Amino acid sequence: MPYLDVTAAVIIDKNKVLAAKRSPGKHLAGHWEFPGGKIEPGETPEQCLKRELKEEFTIESEIGEFVTESIFDYGDKRIRLLAYKVKHLSGEFQLIDHDEIRWLPIEELDSLKWAPADLPIIEALKQQAKAQPTAEFYSNNAKAYYDETLTNDVNHVCDRFLSTLSSTNSGKQHILDLGCGAGRDSKVFIAAGFTVTALEASKELALLAEKHIGQPVLNMRYQQLQTKNTYDGIWSCASLLHCPKSQIEYVMQNCIDALKEGGVFYFSFKYGEGERLDARGRFFNDYTLKSLKTLIAKLGKLEIIDVWLETIQSKNAEQIWVNGLVRKVCESGRGAVKDML
């Protein structure tokens, strides 16, 4: 039985989330849900949500970043629920398909009886709320972090990335430095003659990086990346490690979409399992060699160049890092990932 693609709106206002109760006579009547509906032929998920919210509540909305995916089998149908953050722009809420709405903090959403397919969205929101202080850390400690990381030596990995990139395509190539931090690596790439687009979520760090590399830095989150077939290489050194597991496949798939065919993608994570907060309160999504290869295999359109461990000395302590270097290939080139699992 194929999946039915549907959408869900996580509407947040003043740190409270909208929950809507399904009306009597409907499937799962009396259960609460994140409003949304079935994606019609030719619609994107974002277009579907805007239409559904207009039809269900008579409101105008702005669709934001992806939250998570939930797959559930109700027996008579299997659905793939795609949840997005949504901003209410205008219009009063009119209850057309629901008989009640409530605004609740994330930590109180569990007090309601939810449709089963919506429960993973609540768990994802909880996890992503834990990751939020990470952004605040980099904003509040931008200069200290800039000074701390500017001289870190990752040149041997940069050289490996650039040599792989140079062997793949000809001409002047375009690199996306995804989460550029202080701009340390962007400066290396620019000096080597590459065109570089640097992206950094922290406004304060982005401004410092701009001064360091001598060109503008995009101030945006990697969850917002929507570019297609643009870059010859994407460099994500110690940045995707702050992306929750509920979003990592979506973010990495967007990175793959942003690569040209044959493009090279480098990423690094700290060694471990699961998600955690460090002593500074920063959120981390850790991987082992096996779990990182499993993640890569889920994405498709990739062949593994190498996945390796590296131990470095940092602040008088050893840190183990998991590194991945992959190449985007055409559909006929799929299968190389499975051979390495």
Side-chain angles (χ1 to χ4, degrees):
M1 184 187 302
Y3 291 117
L4 179 67
D5 288 334
V6 295
T7 56
V10 179
I11 307 174
I12 302 176
D13 184 42
K14 298 176 182 177
N15 294 318
K16 292 187 177 182
V17 181
L18 178 78
K21 188 178 180 183
R22 295 183 66 84
S23 299
K26 291 187 174 291
H27 178 242
L28 295 175
H31 286 71
W32 294 80
E33 67 176 359
F34 297 102
K38 184 177 72 171
I39 301 175
E40 299 294 345
E43 278 188 325
T44 65
E46 293 87 350
Q47 290 169 337
C48 171
L49 266 183
K50 286 180 68 72
R51 174 183 56 76
E52 289 285 351
L53 293 174
K54 179 73 172 177
E55 293 173 359
E56 293 181 11
F57 296 117
T58 71
I59 64 168
E60 297 295 335
S61 57
E62 178 182 295
I63 314 304
E65 69 183 47
F66 178 78
V67 175
T68 194
E69 173 188 85
S70 170
I71 294 177
F72 194 82
D73 189 344
Y74 278 112
D76 59 334
K77 60 182 176 181
R78 302 166 70 200
I79 70 167
R80 182 174 65 169
L81 186 58
L82 305 172
Y84 292 80
K85 289 185 179 178
V86 173
K87 182 179 180 181
H88 172 214
L89 295 178
S90 63
E92 295 294 326
F93 282 84
Q94 308 282 335
L95 301 187
I96 297 172
D97 283 348
H98 302 87
D99 61 1
E100 185 181 350
I101 60 172
R102 293 184 190 175
W103 294 91
L104 296 172
I106 291 174
E107 60 270 18
E108 294 181 17
L109 291 174
D110 286 331
S111 64
L112 303 177
K113 182 181 180 181
W114 286 85
D118 291 61
L119 292 173
I121 300 174
I122 297 174
E123 291 306 309
L125 290 173
K126 290 178 182 177
Q127 287 301 107
Q128 291 164 29
K130 291 180 182 179
Q132 183 57 35
T134 304
E136 297 169 3
F137 169 86
Y138 289 112
S139 293
N140 296 334
N141 300 276
K143 185 59 169 66
Y145 182 79
Y146 175 89
D147 294 337
E148 176 186 332
T149 59
L150 192 61
T151 57
N152 286 355
D153 184 7
V154 296
N155 287 339
H156 61 295
V157 185
C158 283
D159 290 345
R160 186 174 186 183
F161 170 73
L162 293 181
S163 63
T164 305
L165 189 61
S166 299
S167 66
T168 302
N169 296 300
S170 60
K172 189 167 184 177
Q173 295 167 297
H174 192 172
I175 296 172
L176 172 65
D177 189 351
L178 189 74
C180 71
R184 176 198 63 213
D185 304 331
S186 285
K187 191 164 187 176
V188 171
F189 300 149
I190 292 168
F194 292 86
T195 298
V196 174
T197 294
L199 181 154
E200 172 54 48
S202 164
K203 182 178 180 181
E204 292 77 10
L205 262 178
L207 291 173
L208 291 170
E210 283 186 353
K211 293 180 181 179
H212 184 62
I213 68 176
Q215 69 177 50
V217 171
L218 294 177
N219 179 212
M220 60 184 285
R221 287 158 52 85
Y222 39 60
Q223 287 91 340
Q224 298 170 285
L225 182 67
Q226 296 293 329
T227 309
K228 306 293 183 185
N229 304 311
T230 301
Y231 305 106
D232 299 284
I234 296 180
W235 172 264
S236 176
C237 181
S239 59
L240 287 174
L241 46 67
H242 294 311
C243 182
K245 290 190 186 294
S246 57
Q247 293 181 320
I248 192 69
E249 290 181 36
Y250 173 84
V251 171
M252 291 187 73
Q253 189 62 60
N254 281 353
C255 290
I256 295 166
D257 291 344
L259 278 173
K260 297 176 184 176
E261 190 169 295
V264 177
F265 185 12
Y266 167 77
F267 36 84
S268 59
F269 298 87
K270 289 192 175 182
Y271 181 83
E273 288 286 9
E275 299 173 317
R276 62 183 172 87
L277 299 179
D278 71 356
R280 294 173 164 182
R282 297 179 300 173
F283 176 91
F284 284 89
N285 175 11
D286 297 335
Y287 287 89
T288 63
L289 286 175
K290 182 178 180 180
S291 60
L292 186 57
K293 289 178 182 177
T294 299
L295 172 63
I296 295 168
K298 290 180 180 179
L299 299 171
K301 288 191 176 182
L302 293 177
E303 65 176 9
I304 292 179
I305 299 170
D306 197 7
V307 175
W308 73 99
L309 293 179
E310 185 170 8
T311 301
I312 65 170
Q313 192 74 25
S314 178
K315 293 187 175 180
N316 302 317
E318 286 189 340
Q319 294 182 355
I320 304 176
W321 290 79
V322 185
N323 301 270
L325 188 62
V326 299
R327 180 182 289 109
K328 180 178 179 179
V329 296
C330 61
E331 287 295 325
S332 61
R334 293 182 65 179
V337 172
K338 294 182 180 179
D339 294 340
M340 298 189 65
L341 294 180

